[in-house]
Amino acid sequence: MALRMKYPDRPEKFMDSELELFSHLKRLHVLATAPELFPTFVRTKCVSSLLGLLMHENSDISIDVVDLLHEMADADGADPDDVKALADALVEHGAPAALMEHLKRLDEAVDEESRAVHQSLGIFEALLEASPELSAPLARDAGLMAWLLGRIKLRPFHANKLYATELLAVLLQQNAPNQALFGEEGGVLALLTATSYYKRREPQALEEAELVENMYDCLCSALHAPANQTLFLKAEGIELMILTLKERRFAAQGALRALSASLARNGANCERFVDIRGFKTLFPLVGAAPPPPPA
């Protein structure tokens, strides 16, 4: 990196050193096949140097660092204690913040960078599996919640959008601080906007159907917080769920669950449901067959 900074307009000055660095990174991938060496790797104090390469101007190098960390975090047959040692070291040296900064540099229109986004989310998932207590710090301090909501807002279906909903569901499940943060970050309106796309539109594949289910799962988890129920009311979420039910498309199943969660122990929401004649839509659905899943 020093040579690149010294000779920014003369790539021949730093090309050899970057090729050598890239070659050394590739050799480190063998670590993923021997997870029992993770504690030893952590003791070498290489983690901070590796994370520092996420800021490298050469995207091939920074993306390979993500690839390496993902392979290690997702190593087959790894002992949970070995993965925990790696996860603890990554958190200690600021991996969440570094990964979030790197995510901002990636362009999902480029295949390699889109894959790096997916792998970055996989690293966050591995951190949560190894240390569930990190859920709230990752969501708020690292900015993961805000990033996930921003990614879910983007309309076209994408594998990264699906993964974002899966990770958001993990953050929200039985986690009051994250449910509160979800409301603060505009999550209720973001998910209502995202789910409204499927009010009349059927998912075109099983993965897209899973995306729809995940979004409603997130909404239902968030609606355990009374403050989010109020936000749901103000955003006319009850009206949207009623309209979705009337269409009787695939999303109607999720809309019914979200509607139930919004009404639970909330008098104001129940009053709104009655005022807009929600029972008129609900009663014909009793005993009706659910919409078939996409082929």
Side-chain angles (χ1 to χ4, degrees):
M1 289 179 70
L3 287 174
R4 178 182 278 268
M5 293 175 66
K6 187 175 181 179
Y7 304 104
D9 300 320
R10 300 178 64 184
E12 69 276 5
K13 290 287 189 178
F14 55 78
M15 187 65 70
D16 288 344
S17 65
E18 291 191 2
L19 286 173
E20 184 179 2
L21 174 59
F22 190 73
S23 176
H24 286 309
L25 277 174
K26 286 299 183 185
R27 292 195 190 102
L28 282 176
H29 282 254
V30 73
L31 277 170
T33 66
E36 66 274 9
L37 296 178
F38 288 175
T40 303
F41 174 72
V42 168
R43 287 194 294 272
T44 65
K45 300 183 179 180
C46 290
V47 173
S48 60
S49 299
L50 197 59
L51 291 173
L53 292 176
L54 286 172
M55 302 307 295
H56 202 288
E57 290 187 37
N58 186 331
S59 61
D60 289 337
I61 290 174
S62 64
I63 287 174
D64 196 64
V65 171
V66 172
D67 189 23
L68 171 60
L69 292 176
H70 179 258
E71 285 185 8
M72 294 174 69
D74 195 39
D76 291 333
D79 186 285
D81 290 339
D82 294 333
V83 177
K84 182 72 163 57
L86 175 65
D88 288 347
L90 289 175
V91 172
E92 180 184 350
H93 290 92
L99 285 167
M100 290 305 306
E101 283 300 315
H102 188 249
L103 273 172
K104 296 174 185 177
R105 294 168 50 194
L106 299 175
D107 180 2
E108 291 188 60
V110 180
D111 287 345
E112 289 181 354
E113 297 189 21
S114 178
R115 181 170 175 265
V117 170
H118 200 274
Q119 291 176 326
S120 298
L121 296 181
I123 296 170
F124 279 114
E125 182 180 24
L127 291 177
L128 288 168
E129 288 179 356
S131 303
E133 68 277 8
L134 289 174
S135 182
L138 287 181
R140 181 181 291 276
D141 300 337
L144 182 58
M145 175 77 75
W147 188 92
L148 293 174
L149 290 172
R151 184 61 189 84
I152 292 169
K153 283 180 184 178
L154 301 180
R155 179 153 288 185
F157 173 79
H158 192 283
N160 288 343
K161 182 175 181 177
L162 172 60
Y163 207 165
T165 61
E166 292 172 356
L167 203 51
L168 181 60
V170 173
L171 292 178
L172 291 172
Q173 189 173 18
Q174 297 180 342
N175 190 306
N178 282 351
Q179 290 166 7
L181 178 63
F182 176 86
E184 295 169 14
E185 294 285 356
V188 172
L189 184 57
L191 278 188
L192 286 176
T193 301
T195 55
S196 68
Y197 181 62
Y198 294 96
K199 181 175 64 177
R200 296 189 180 93
R201 185 182 184 275
E202 294 285 23
Q204 299 302 299
L206 289 176
E207 283 192 337
E208 192 171 10
E210 184 180 352
L211 167 71
V212 176
E213 290 178 340
N214 289 347
M215 290 193 296
Y216 279 110
D217 285 344
C218 292
L219 201 50
C220 289
S221 293
L223 287 171
H224 280 95
N228 288 338
Q229 289 181 323
T230 300
L231 292 171
F232 189 82
L233 175 66
K234 292 180 178 179
E236 299 185 353
I238 296 174
E239 287 84 347
L240 176 60
M241 297 305 108
I242 293 296
L243 290 172
T244 304
L245 286 170
K246 287 180 178 178
E247 295 295 332
R248 300 198 183 187
R249 303 284 184 172
F250 178 79
Q253 301 174 61
L256 186 59
R257 291 190 292 114
L259 184 61
S260 175
S262 73
L263 300 179
R265 300 176 300 280
N266 191 301
N269 285 8
C270 289
E271 286 182 18
R272 174 68 66 85
F273 175 76
V274 173
D275 289 344
I276 62 174
R277 301 181 180 180
F279 285 118
K280 184 178 179 181
T281 300
L282 191 61
F283 283 152
L285 298 178
V286 176

